[in-house]
Amino acid sequence: MNRNSNKLRDAVVIALITSAAGTGAAVAQETSGTTNLDRISVTGSRIRQVDVETAQPVLTISRQDIQNQGFSSVGDILQNISAAGSPAFSRSSPLTSNQEAGGQYIDLRNLGAQRTLVLVNGKRLGISPDGFQDVSTIPTVIVERIDVLKDGASSIYGSDAMAGVINIITRKNFDGAEANVYTGQYGQGDGKKETYDFMIGFSGDRGSVTIAGEYHNEEEVWAKDRWFTRNTYPGWNHNASFTNVGQWGNWRPAGSTGGYQAPNRGGTALGVGQFHPQNLDDRSRSSDQMHLLTPLERRSLYVSANYDLVDNVRFVTDLQYSKRSSDRQIAGYPLQSGAYEDLNLSADSLYSPNGGATDVEWRRRGWEVPRTTNTDLTTWRFTAALEGSFEIGDRYFNWDAGALYNENDVSVINNGNFYIPAVRNAVGPSFVNGAGQAVCGTPGVGGADDTIIAGCVPWNPFAGFGTGAVANSLDDEAVRNYLFREEHATGNTTTHNYFANIAGTIVPLPAGDLGFAAGYEYRREEGQFAPDAIAQSGDSTNLASGPTGGKYDVSEFYLELNVPILADLPFAKELTLDVATRYSDFNTFGDTTNNKFGLKWRPIDDLLVRGTYSEGFRAPTIGDLYGGSSQTFTTGFIDPCDSIYGNARGTARCLADVPANYRQLQQGFIPADGPAAQSPVPFTSGSNEFLQPERSESKSIGLVYSPSYVSGLTVGVDWWSIRIEDTLVSDSPNQILEDCYVGLIEERCALFTRDPANGNIVGDLTYGNRNAGYTETEGFDFDINYALDTDWGRFSAKSATTYVSKYESKTTNDAEEVPSQYNGFNAYFRVRSNLSLGWTKNDWSVNWSMRYYSGTKETCYFTARCTLPNFSAPDTGGIITPMNELGSTTFHDLQVSYAAPWNATIAIGANNVFNKVAPLMMDQPSSNFSYYGGFDIGRFLYLKYNQKF
């Protein structure tokens, strides 16, 4: 094998410039010798390799690839690769108000973002208490390349590297300066995005400093401004888009089962004669006040420096600061007196609608005060290490030792939630005192013994929006200040990481040098999140939630060997075995050992055959172990026993609990008008300190063919399989009911009770994470790269396709339960494919890209509109589940750029050139609307300007 080839030396130069991560090993000195110069660092191994192609499949997104795209953030770039799954927290999910809201979290293979490990220069990115790593904190201008390891790597990197590893390599040793401007917006005139960044660098004989900064801002897009999100079921069933808890309010006598009365529009909403039976026009469409894309603002600063202390020892450091501010708005809270104790409007209220005949049950949205959540996340990240090299005989070794510190501070401000004790006072007895003021309480004899609730302002739930009345309505500032409380939540997570590594070659073997890497790592994670005291008390419509707080630490040792077996033989130009093992000792659940085996065989120079087997694990997070319980009204709640939409309706198990004509109740305690609704009572979720780690097995076999007779062509295909056991199942009310009534698992039926009067699920349903079942997926990755230089310019083509042949999951250990099949359903696309075509000549370049999503199926609840009314999935015993078949989607992107003579580059482009609207998805995957949260929402036009100095 010619280890001194020009190709390898070119790769070494790239690696030295970028300080490619994985070992953290020192950059070779000029006197180090040829053997070391021929070895480079690659993601997925801590041993410096002779070849950039390893036994593991790695997708590399170069700096040029980034510049050829119209996406302005690291998260957007990664979300659009073919191996990416659905967004964990899409910005099309404004109902998500947790501390991760506003960030970007990458999910490989649709296995969940917590099962994809993100590194920066080979070292972990900080995590939230629930184990999410926000890639949006990395400014795009500092990124040299992104390596995506599409294979398990816990033996190399530890916990979380089950679905794969993303390694963001930053630019280093930069001389000069550059500044960039990116601006664009949707063709509808909204959703403007702006990015302004710069980078400046200095280098000398012994070191260098590189500084990069970024400001990024994205404006909101409103759901009402897109036809496909304006209504719950766009195009036909608009009735389901409106809720009976409207902005005008309505009432009925307490204890009554009759219809509701709504205030006359433009009236005073005071007393008899001011109301009419509620009709369709008295309802509200919550999407009128909701974001489709939530706005955000981000500021980032990144500093990288290195200095040669002596000839063979270098000090390296990275400092990162990031502040992200995100906002979200949803419709005013739909308050219902029947959901709370003693919240009916008193017959002794000044605003009794029936003349004080009885207390009244009432419903009213806080339309004048929409619910908002403002989240600020500040991140500090600091790494410092010594890197060095030494020789023993003719053996060369690299070493490094250092520390990493990461801190995330989050602040969440919630507005628009009712403070229940204040509402209880405000709708209680009230009267006009001697000074002519409306006050809360009861009058005494002659005004001498008045009982007044200090500070309370009486409230008329039926006055205000559209009634013409202002006093004592939500349009009244005094009423708003009394009924609403601003809530503040804070959180903090810290990562302390200390590491030491050594790598090199031990002994020469007939086929090459035996390489090794070994090291030790200690990591401590601490996290806490404290909701506002009001939220913790349960006195807010923000729902009760407890604090999260805890910590864990882990000590780890690893060893990796690269064993050359054969070389330069017929049908064995190279045969190399990679072996790695990692021992991890957690103070929470104990210890675990995970191993990896990889084989690389090159029968001829043009063909590489590779395969891996690896074990992986994911440790329970702080949130999993020590998270506080919280209440939530479950959206998309489905009762299998509903007599119209339930998929177990009429079965013996359902009829044992509910009558044959049972109807699921939705918000407002009325029968649901669709298959999925918001639960009328809150359920409680919590943590489990006895959780054990998830465990996985990953396998891959692949071919890489680079024919010498076709210069510039590379073709690759990899089969992969991942199985995760003892999964940390995020239980849900829907899953509990499904297991009980469809799976007939009696232990799950014991987790809830029903109201004996109406059969509805009551609020004692509590759920949390547990170790159970498995998830298994497998498929193929196909990659083709080709470049051709001609007299008419350079033509290039890159194609990356992921085909998923299997995705199934089971959430119990019950051997009799049939696993759920996800592949080809909802947002589990069988095929995702990217094709990029490029042309460059002199100062001009054009790039055309296509992003393809295969069609899927989703459950059809409205039989008359089902395209597959008799669908029966395999292995379900012939059970008929009506489905809708959705078509495939292709988004086209175009960019044209010009290299100006004043050392600048100007680019204009459009993402989703043809303004494609994908098929609607009524199940709302990664979204709160009937449109997948990972799809484009319009044609996005942009301009980019780069100036080098």
Side-chain angles (χ1 to χ4, degrees), residues 51-86:
D51 200 340
V52 293
E53 294 171 337
T54 68
Q56 302 177 103
V58 178
L59 167 69
T60 295
I61 304 171
S62 68
R63 181 75 193 163
Q64 188 61 52
D65 293 334
I66 295 172
Q67 292 172 337
N68 288 343
Q69 298 184 42
F71 302 111
S72 58
S73 71
V74 172
D76 287 340
I77 292 166
L78 288 169
Q79 187 56 53
N80 282 282
I81 66 174
S82 63
S86 297

mmCIF file of all heavy atoms in Angstrom, residues 51-86:
data_model
loop_
_atom_site.group_PDB
_atom_site.id
_atom_site.type_symbol
_atom_site.label_atom_id
_atom_site.label_comp_id
_atom_site.label_asym_id
_atom_site.label_seq_id
_atom_site.Cartn_x
_atom_site.Cartn_y
_atom_site.Cartn_z
ATOM 1 N N ASP A 51 -6.605 5.953 5.520
ATOM 2 C CA ASP A 51 -7.585 6.224 4.472
ATOM 3 C C ASP A 51 -8.775 6.966 5.064
ATOM 4 O O ASP A 51 -9.164 6.720 6.209
ATOM 5 C CB ASP A 51 -8.058 4.894 3.865
ATOM 6 C CG ASP A 51 -8.684 5.079 2.491
ATOM 7 O OD1 ASP A 51 -9.084 6.219 2.187
ATOM 8 O OD2 ASP A 51 -8.760 4.099 1.751
ATOM 9 N N VAL A 52 -9.361 7.854 4.280
ATOM 10 C CA VAL A 52 -10.545 8.574 4.759
ATOM 11 C C VAL A 52 -11.766 7.669 4.783
ATOM 12 O O VAL A 52 -12.750 7.966 5.455
ATOM 13 C CB VAL A 52 -10.834 9.812 3.879
ATOM 14 C CG1 VAL A 52 -9.736 10.837 4.030
ATOM 15 C CG2 VAL A 52 -11.018 9.414 2.421
ATOM 16 N N GLU A 53 -11.754 6.558 4.040
ATOM 17 C CA GLU A 53 -12.872 5.631 4.019
ATOM 18 C C GLU A 53 -12.652 4.572 5.081
ATOM 19 O O GLU A 53 -11.614 3.922 5.131
ATOM 20 C CB GLU A 53 -13.014 4.990 2.639
ATOM 21 C CG GLU A 53 -13.412 5.998 1.564
ATOM 22 C CD GLU A 53 -13.335 5.395 0.177
ATOM 23 O OE1 GLU A 53 -12.585 4.415 0.003
ATOM 24 O OE2 GLU A 53 -14.015 5.907 -0.722
ATOM 25 N N THR A 54 -13.643 4.398 5.954
ATOM 26 C CA THR A 54 -13.518 3.465 7.065
ATOM 27 C C THR A 54 -14.588 2.384 6.963
ATOM 28 O O THR A 54 -15.380 2.350 6.025
ATOM 29 C CB THR A 54 -13.665 4.206 8.410
ATOM 30 O OG1 THR A 54 -15.025 4.671 8.532
ATOM 31 C CG2 THR A 54 -12.721 5.392 8.498
ATOM 32 N N ALA A 55 -14.592 1.512 7.972
ATOM 33 C CA ALA A 55 -15.601 0.449 7.994
ATOM 34 C C ALA A 55 -16.987 0.995 8.255
ATOM 35 O O ALA A 55 -17.990 0.312 8.025
ATOM 36 C CB ALA A 55 -15.227 -0.586 9.051
ATOM 37 N N GLN A 56 -17.091 2.231 8.728
ATOM 38 C CA GLN A 56 -18.384 2.817 9.076
ATOM 39 C C GLN A 56 -18.801 3.835 8.028
ATOM 40 O O GLN A 56 -17.960 4.583 7.507
ATOM 41 C CB GLN A 56 -18.293 3.501 10.444
ATOM 42 C CG GLN A 56 -17.868 2.563 11.555
ATOM 43 C CD GLN A 56 -17.723 3.299 12.874
ATOM 44 O OE1 GLN A 56 -18.565 3.221 13.735
ATOM 45 N NE2 GLN A 56 -16.628 4.019 13.026
ATOM 46 N N PRO A 57 -20.098 3.915 7.701
ATOM 47 C CA PRO A 57 -20.566 4.893 6.708
ATOM 48 C C PRO A 57 -20.614 6.301 7.296
ATOM 49 O O PRO A 57 -21.247 6.529 8.330
ATOM 50 C CB PRO A 57 -21.973 4.387 6.360
ATOM 51 C CG PRO A 57 -22.416 3.629 7.572
ATOM 52 C CD PRO A 57 -21.179 3.034 8.177
ATOM 53 N N VAL A 58 -19.933 7.238 6.647
ATOM 54 C CA VAL A 58 -19.888 8.624 7.105
ATOM 55 C C VAL A 58 -20.263 9.535 5.948
ATOM 56 O O VAL A 58 -19.689 9.444 4.860
ATOM 57 C CB VAL A 58 -18.494 9.003 7.638
ATOM 58 C CG1 VAL A 58 -18.462 10.479 8.057
ATOM 59 C CG2 VAL A 58 -18.096 8.118 8.813
ATOM 60 N N LEU A 59 -21.257 10.391 6.173
ATOM 61 C CA LEU A 59 -21.625 11.430 5.211
ATOM 62 C C LEU A 59 -20.907 12.711 5.610
ATOM 63 O O LEU A 59 -20.996 13.142 6.758
ATOM 64 C CB LEU A 59 -23.139 11.656 5.219
ATOM 65 C CG LEU A 59 -23.640 12.912 4.506
ATOM 66 C CD1 LEU A 59 -23.442 12.786 2.999
ATOM 67 C CD2 LEU A 59 -25.100 13.190 4.838
ATOM 68 N N THR A 60 -20.196 13.319 4.680
ATOM 69 C CA THR A 60 -19.501 14.564 4.954
ATOM 70 C C THR A 60 -20.161 15.700 4.186
ATOM 71 O O THR A 60 -20.325 15.618 2.958
ATOM 72 C CB THR A 60 -18.015 14.469 4.562
ATOM 73 O OG1 THR A 60 -17.376 13.496 5.394
ATOM 74 C CG2 THR A 60 -17.319 15.807 4.757
ATOM 75 N N ILE A 61 -20.558 16.732 4.912
ATOM 76 C CA ILE A 61 -21.118 17.947 4.322
ATOM 77 C C ILE A 61 -20.025 19.004 4.379
ATOM 78 O O ILE A 61 -19.666 19.472 5.456
ATOM 79 C CB ILE A 61 -22.370 18.410 5.085
ATOM 80 C CG1 ILE A 61 -23.409 17.287 5.135
ATOM 81 C CG2 ILE A 61 -22.971 19.652 4.433
ATOM 82 C CD1 ILE A 61 -24.583 17.582 6.050
ATOM 83 N N SER A 62 -19.464 19.334 3.243
ATOM 84 C CA SER A 62 -18.316 20.237 3.199
ATOM 85 C C SER A 62 -18.753 21.692 3.319
ATOM 86 O O SER A 62 -19.942 22.023 3.216
ATOM 87 C CB SER A 62 -17.550 20.040 1.894
ATOM 88 O OG SER A 62 -18.321 20.489 0.788
ATOM 89 N N ARG A 63 -17.768 22.559 3.473
ATOM 90 C CA ARG A 63 -18.034 23.993 3.509
ATOM 91 C C ARG A 63 -18.691 24.434 2.197
ATOM 92 O O ARG A 63 -19.628 25.244 2.204
ATOM 93 C CB ARG A 63 -16.723 24.753 3.736
ATOM 94 C CG ARG A 63 -16.886 26.270 3.805
ATOM 95 C CD ARG A 63 -17.485 26.697 5.110
ATOM 96 N NE ARG A 63 -17.925 28.083 5.091
ATOM 97 C CZ ARG A 63 -18.759 28.603 5.986
ATOM 98 N NH1 ARG A 63 -19.224 27.858 6.961
ATOM 99 N NH2 ARG A 63 -19.114 29.856 5.921
ATOM 100 N N GLN A 64 -18.221 23.877 1.083
ATOM 101 C CA GLN A 64 -18.794 24.233 -0.207
ATOM 102 C C GLN A 64 -20.234 23.752 -0.321
ATOM 103 O O GLN A 64 -21.095 24.450 -0.855
ATOM 104 C CB GLN A 64 -17.959 23.638 -1.336
ATOM 105 C CG GLN A 64 -18.373 24.111 -2.723
ATOM 106 C CD GLN A 64 -18.237 25.614 -2.894
ATOM 107 O OE1 GLN A 64 -17.183 26.187 -2.615
ATOM 108 N NE2 GLN A 64 -19.308 26.280 -3.318
ATOM 109 N N ASP A 65 -20.501 22.555 0.217
ATOM 110 C CA ASP A 65 -21.885 22.052 0.210
ATOM 111 C C ASP A 65 -22.804 22.992 0.982
ATOM 112 O O ASP A 65 -23.954 23.235 0.572
ATOM 113 C CB ASP A 65 -21.949 20.660 0.835
ATOM 114 C CG ASP A 65 -21.247 19.603 0.003
ATOM 115 O OD1 ASP A 65 -21.151 19.785 -1.219
ATOM 116 O OD2 ASP A 65 -20.779 18.608 0.587
ATOM 117 N N ILE A 66 -22.321 23.504 2.095
ATOM 118 C CA ILE A 66 -23.110 24.431 2.907
ATOM 119 C C ILE A 66 -23.398 25.711 2.135
ATOM 120 O O ILE A 66 -24.521 26.224 2.124
ATOM 121 C CB ILE A 66 -22.384 24.734 4.233
ATOM 122 C CG1 ILE A 66 -22.293 23.463 5.081
ATOM 123 C CG2 ILE A 66 -23.078 25.852 4.992
ATOM 124 C CD1 ILE A 66 -21.426 23.610 6.309
ATOM 125 N N GLN A 67 -22.372 26.226 1.448
ATOM 126 C CA GLN A 67 -22.536 27.481 0.716
ATOM 127 C C GLN A 67 -23.455 27.324 -0.493
ATOM 128 O O GLN A 67 -24.081 28.292 -0.930
ATOM 129 C CB GLN A 67 -21.166 27.998 0.280
ATOM 130 C CG GLN A 67 -20.297 28.438 1.449
ATOM 131 C CD GLN A 67 -18.880 28.760 1.040
ATOM 132 O OE1 GLN A 67 -18.386 28.292 0.019
ATOM 133 N NE2 GLN A 67 -18.196 29.570 1.853
ATOM 134 N N ASN A 68 -23.559 26.103 -1.028
ATOM 135 C CA ASN A 68 -24.409 25.880 -2.194
ATOM 136 C C ASN A 68 -25.884 25.750 -1.837
ATOM 137 O O ASN A 68 -26.717 25.635 -2.737
ATOM 138 C CB ASN A 68 -23.967 24.614 -2.931
ATOM 139 C CG ASN A 68 -22.644 24.800 -3.654
ATOM 140 O OD1 ASN A 68 -22.197 25.931 -3.890
ATOM 141 N ND2 ASN A 68 -21.992 23.702 -4.002
ATOM 142 N N GLN A 69 -26.213 25.739 -0.556
ATOM 143 C CA GLN A 69 -27.591 25.578 -0.132
ATOM 144 C C GLN A 69 -28.201 26.924 0.255
ATOM 145 O O GLN A 69 -27.493 27.890 0.527
ATOM 146 C CB GLN A 69 -27.674 24.630 1.072
ATOM 147 C CG GLN A 69 -27.176 23.227 0.782
ATOM 148 C CD GLN A 69 -27.377 22.311 1.966
ATOM 149 O OE1 GLN A 69 -28.414 22.332 2.618
ATOM 150 N NE2 GLN A 69 -26.384 21.485 2.252
ATOM 151 N N GLY A 70 -29.516 26.913 0.341
ATOM 152 C CA GLY A 70 -30.226 28.121 0.738
ATOM 153 C C GLY A 70 -30.677 28.110 2.176
ATOM 154 O O GLY A 70 -31.545 28.890 2.562
ATOM 155 N N PHE A 71 -30.096 27.213 2.993
ATOM 156 C CA PHE A 71 -30.461 27.132 4.402
ATOM 157 C C PHE A 71 -29.438 27.896 5.234
ATOM 158 O O PHE A 71 -28.231 27.830 4.975
ATOM 159 C CB PHE A 71 -30.548 25.677 4.853
ATOM 160 C CG PHE A 71 -31.540 24.877 4.064
ATOM 161 C CD1 PHE A 71 -31.124 23.868 3.197
ATOM 162 C CD2 PHE A 71 -32.889 25.160 4.147
ATOM 163 C CE1 PHE A 71 -32.032 23.149 2.458
ATOM 164 C CE2 PHE A 71 -33.812 24.444 3.401
ATOM 165 C CZ PHE A 71 -33.385 23.442 2.556
ATOM 166 N N SER A 72 -29.931 28.588 6.249
ATOM 167 C CA SER A 72 -29.076 29.539 6.964
ATOM 168 C C SER A 72 -28.632 29.055 8.331
ATOM 169 O O SER A 72 -27.966 29.796 9.042
ATOM 170 C CB SER A 72 -29.829 30.869 7.133
ATOM 171 O OG SER A 72 -31.057 30.675 7.826
ATOM 172 N N SER A 73 -28.972 27.837 8.736
ATOM 173 C CA SER A 73 -28.567 27.360 10.050
ATOM 174 C C SER A 73 -28.090 25.923 9.951
ATOM 175 O O SER A 73 -28.468 25.185 9.033
ATOM 176 C CB SER A 73 -29.722 27.454 11.056
ATOM 177 O OG SER A 73 -30.717 26.491 10.769
ATOM 178 N N VAL A 74 -27.262 25.522 10.908
ATOM 179 C CA VAL A 74 -26.770 24.152 10.956
ATOM 180 C C VAL A 74 -27.934 23.182 11.082
ATOM 181 O O VAL A 74 -27.968 22.120 10.452
ATOM 182 C CB VAL A 74 -25.783 23.979 12.131
ATOM 183 C CG1 VAL A 74 -25.414 22.515 12.317
ATOM 184 C CG2 VAL A 74 -24.532 24.811 11.898
ATOM 185 N N GLY A 75 -28.929 23.551 11.880
ATOM 186 C CA GLY A 75 -30.081 22.686 12.075
ATOM 187 C C GLY A 75 -30.861 22.448 10.793
ATOM 188 O O GLY A 75 -31.263 21.323 10.487
ATOM 189 N N ASP A 76 -31.095 23.507 10.006
ATOM 190 C CA ASP A 76 -31.835 23.357 8.750
ATOM 191 C C ASP A 76 -31.062 22.495 7.759
ATOM 192 O O ASP A 76 -31.643 21.703 7.015
ATOM 193 C CB ASP A 76 -32.115 24.727 8.142
ATOM 194 C CG ASP A 76 -33.178 25.503 8.896
ATOM 195 O OD1 ASP A 76 -33.956 24.874 9.637
ATOM 196 O OD2 ASP A 76 -33.221 26.740 8.762
ATOM 197 N N ILE A 77 -29.755 22.666 7.728
ATOM 198 C CA ILE A 77 -28.929 21.865 6.820
ATOM 199 C C ILE A 77 -29.044 20.390 7.173
ATOM 200 O O ILE A 77 -29.259 19.533 6.298
ATOM 201 C CB ILE A 77 -27.460 22.333 6.894
ATOM 202 C CG1 ILE A 77 -27.321 23.738 6.305
ATOM 203 C CG2 ILE A 77 -26.538 21.353 6.166
ATOM 204 C CD1 ILE A 77 -26.004 24.418 6.621
ATOM 205 N N LEU A 78 -28.926 20.065 8.450
ATOM 206 C CA LEU A 78 -28.961 18.670 8.866
ATOM 207 C C LEU A 78 -30.363 18.080 8.763
ATOM 208 O O LEU A 78 -30.522 16.891 8.473
ATOM 209 C CB LEU A 78 -28.452 18.547 10.304
ATOM 210 C CG LEU A 78 -26.943 18.750 10.473
ATOM 211 C CD1 LEU A 78 -26.579 18.882 11.951
ATOM 212 C CD2 LEU A 78 -26.179 17.580 9.857
ATOM 213 N N GLN A 79 -31.375 18.886 8.981
ATOM 214 C CA GLN A 79 -32.740 18.368 8.923
ATOM 215 C C GLN A 79 -33.114 17.912 7.523
ATOM 216 O O GLN A 79 -34.022 17.103 7.341
ATOM 217 C CB GLN A 79 -33.730 19.443 9.408
ATOM 218 C CG GLN A 79 -35.163 18.962 9.544
ATOM 219 C CD GLN A 79 -35.299 17.760 10.455
ATOM 220 O OE1 GLN A 79 -34.839 17.784 11.593
ATOM 221 N NE2 GLN A 79 -35.909 16.705 9.962
ATOM 222 N N ASN A 80 -32.388 18.383 6.528
ATOM 223 C CA ASN A 80 -32.728 18.055 5.155
ATOM 224 C C ASN A 80 -31.846 16.980 4.536
ATOM 225 O O ASN A 80 -31.930 16.747 3.327
ATOM 226 C CB ASN A 80 -32.682 19.331 4.298
ATOM 227 C CG ASN A 80 -33.917 20.188 4.481
ATOM 228 O OD1 ASN A 80 -34.972 19.912 3.935
ATOM 229 N ND2 ASN A 80 -33.791 21.243 5.275
ATOM 230 N N ILE A 81 -31.007 16.290 5.326
ATOM 231 C CA ILE A 81 -30.297 15.142 4.790
ATOM 232 C C ILE A 81 -31.247 13.945 4.758
ATOM 233 O O ILE A 81 -32.230 13.896 5.498
ATOM 234 C CB ILE A 81 -29.020 14.823 5.596
ATOM 235 C CG1 ILE A 81 -29.371 14.365 7.009
ATOM 236 C CG2 ILE A 81 -28.074 16.013 5.614
ATOM 237 C CD1 ILE A 81 -28.166 13.905 7.811
ATOM 238 N N SER A 82 -30.960 12.975 3.911
ATOM 239 C CA SER A 82 -31.915 11.886 3.699
ATOM 240 C C SER A 82 -32.070 10.984 4.921
ATOM 241 O O SER A 82 -33.107 10.337 5.080
ATOM 242 C CB SER A 82 -31.496 11.048 2.490
ATOM 243 O OG SER A 82 -30.244 10.425 2.709
ATOM 244 N N ALA A 83 -31.060 10.910 5.785
ATOM 245 C CA ALA A 83 -31.136 10.033 6.957
ATOM 246 C C ALA A 83 -31.825 10.684 8.143
ATOM 247 O O ALA A 83 -32.009 10.039 9.181
ATOM 248 C CB ALA A 83 -29.731 9.583 7.371
ATOM 249 N N ALA A 84 -32.219 11.952 8.013
ATOM 250 C CA ALA A 84 -32.839 12.662 9.133
ATOM 251 C C ALA A 84 -34.285 12.227 9.307
ATOM 252 O O ALA A 84 -35.000 11.965 8.345
ATOM 253 C CB ALA A 84 -32.767 14.172 8.912
ATOM 254 N N GLY A 85 -34.715 12.151 10.557
ATOM 255 C CA GLY A 85 -36.103 11.856 10.865
ATOM 256 C C GLY A 85 -36.888 13.127 11.096
ATOM 257 O O GLY A 85 -36.461 14.226 10.743
ATOM 258 N N SER A 86 -38.042 12.990 11.716
ATOM 259 C CA SER A 86 -38.913 14.131 11.954
ATOM 260 C C SER A 86 -38.318 15.053 13.015
ATOM 261 O O SER A 86 -37.644 14.600 13.935
ATOM 262 C CB SER A 86 -40.291 13.656 12.413
ATOM 263 O OG SER A 86 -40.911 12.888 11.410
#
